[in-house]
């Protein structure tokens, strides 16, 4: 499976934007880029995913580099509730590849009031 | 229900005992997944069901671990002869179908298993 690299931790101030980077230099043409986050004592929560184009939803935005070797999850205004571990995951779009997510250790985001 | 439900939320058992962990997926979700998460680590894949059958069980660590989903809805993860190293949070997730790259999973809050 293609791997991702994320910083272990980041800090942000409340109400400021946060840019969480992810490198995936060995991404293949059929890999989707998924982001999940995990709040304390909860299971992971789906945030957003994309293939080639930038994506926006009510939770966040996903900016994908033109060569797809990196991506950035953008939280437009961080709140205390956004403190969590954020996972960047590549998921093969071919149905023959199976259907599991392979998690790394993610980025632990701390939000300062 | 509205989300994925896992019971019990906490389970403490003695080394060598047998345990069952239950997962109720979102109604209508045909795909169900089990993961295990140790402290400070990301979730680790165990097994994936599509309907009643295990489509991928490559993550089960050994033959003490077994999972079933007899009617294509509720699933039970069974661990025989538990060991202290089995202590972890066991997470269940479901999705509408095996979707390849698209779509997201919905996870439950997990069962924290402690083997003493």
């Amino acid at each position: 499976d293609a791997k991702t690299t994320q910083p272990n931790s980041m800090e942000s101030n409340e109400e400021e934007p946060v840019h969480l980077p992810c490198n995936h230099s060995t991404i293949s043409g059929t890999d989707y880029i998924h982001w999940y986050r995990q709040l304390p004592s909860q299971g992971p929560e789906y945030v957003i995913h994309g293939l080639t184009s930038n994506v926006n939803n009510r939770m966040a935005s996903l900016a994908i580099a033109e060569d797809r070797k990196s991506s950035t999850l953008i939280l437009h205004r961080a709140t205390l509730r956004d403190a969590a571990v954020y996972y960047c995951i590549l998921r093969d779009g071919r149905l023959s590849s199976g259907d599991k997510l392979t998690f790394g250790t993610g980025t632990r985001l701390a939000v300062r009031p | 229900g509205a989300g994925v439900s896992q019971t019990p939320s906490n389970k403490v058992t003695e080394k060598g005992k047998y345990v069952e962990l239950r997962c109720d997926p979102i109604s209508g979700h045909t795909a169900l997944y089990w993961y295990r998460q140790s402290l400070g680590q990301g979730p680790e894949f165990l097994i994936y069901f599509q309907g009643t059958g295990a489509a991928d069980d490559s993550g089960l660590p050994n033959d003490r671990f077994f999972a079933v989903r007899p009617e294509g809805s509720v699933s039970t993860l069974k661990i025989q002869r538990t060991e202290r190293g089995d202590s972890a949070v066991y997470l269940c997730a479901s999705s509408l179908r095996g979707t390849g790259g698209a779509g997201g999973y919905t996870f439950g809050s997990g069962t924290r298993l402690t083997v003493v």
Side-chain angles (χ1 to χ4, degrees):
Chain A
D1 290 336
K3 293 191 185 298
T4 63
T5 305
Q6 299 177 254
N8 288 334
S9 62
M10 290 184 64
E11 284 191 341
S12 173
N13 294 321
E14 196 177 11
E15 298 189 3
E16 290 187 355
V18 183
H19 290 229
L20 296 162
C22 181
N23 287 319
H24 28 79
S25 58
T26 60
I27 191 170
S28 75
T30 57
D31 284 333
Y32 284 75
I33 302 160
H34 283 246
W35 284 81
Y36 281 74
R37 73 178 186 180
Q38 189 170 21
L39 303 172
S41 300
Q42 295 189 25
E45 173 187 29
Y46 167 80
V47 177
I48 201 166
H49 77 280
L51 185 60
T52 56
S53 303
N54 294 345
V55 184
N56 300 295
N57 67 21
R58 63 175 180 80
M59 290 181 71
S61 295
L62 176 59
I64 302 173
E66 196 168 333
D67 64 4
R68 300 209 324 127
K69 294 187 176 186
S70 64
S71 61
T72 302
L73 180 71
I74 302 165
L75 307 179
H76 295 286
R77 288 180 72 233
T79 69
L80 297 178
R81 202 189 169 281
D82 291 322
V85 178
Y86 287 78
Y87 296 99
C88 170
I89 301 165
L90 299 183
R91 189 171 173 197
D92 195 330
R94 294 170 297 171
L95 292 177
S96 61
S97 69
D99 202 39
K100 61 191 178 196
L101 294 175
T102 302
F103 289 81
T105 52
T107 296
R108 182 174 296 278
L109 176 66
V111 180
R112 292 184 291 256
Chain B
V4 176
S5 175
Q6 292 188 245
T7 54
S9 55
N10 279 285
K11 175 72 177 178
V12 180
T13 191
E14 292 181 348
K15 179 174 174 295
K17 299 289 189 183
Y18 168 83
V19 295
E20 289 189 352
L21 311 179
R22 177 187 167 106
C23 173
D24 271 282
I26 291 174
S27 178
H29 279 193
T30 58
L32 184 146
Y33 315 81
W34 284 99
Y35 283 77
R36 176 170 73 172
Q37 187 170 25
S38 300
L39 195 64
Q41 302 296 313
E44 173 193 18
F45 171 78
L46 295 177
I47 186 169
Y48 153 51
F49 287 90
Q50 184 62 256
T52 60
D56 182 352
D57 65 357
S58 61
L60 294 177
N62 51 59
D63 61 6
R64 295 187 298 105
F65 288 74
F66 190 71
V68 295
R69 194 186 185 200
E71 297 177 359
S73 178
V74 171
S75 176
T76 305
L77 179 65
K78 308 181 182 196
I79 311 174
Q80 299 177 321
R81 304 184 304 281
T82 52
E83 300 177 356
R84 292 197 179 87
D86 299 334
S87 298
V89 175
Y90 289 81
L91 294 161
C92 177
S94 69
S95 69
L96 191 57
R97 61 186 181 279
T99 55
Y105 296 178
T106 302
F107 279 84
S109 295
T111 294
R112 181 177 298 279
L113 176 67
T114 304
V115 182
V116 297

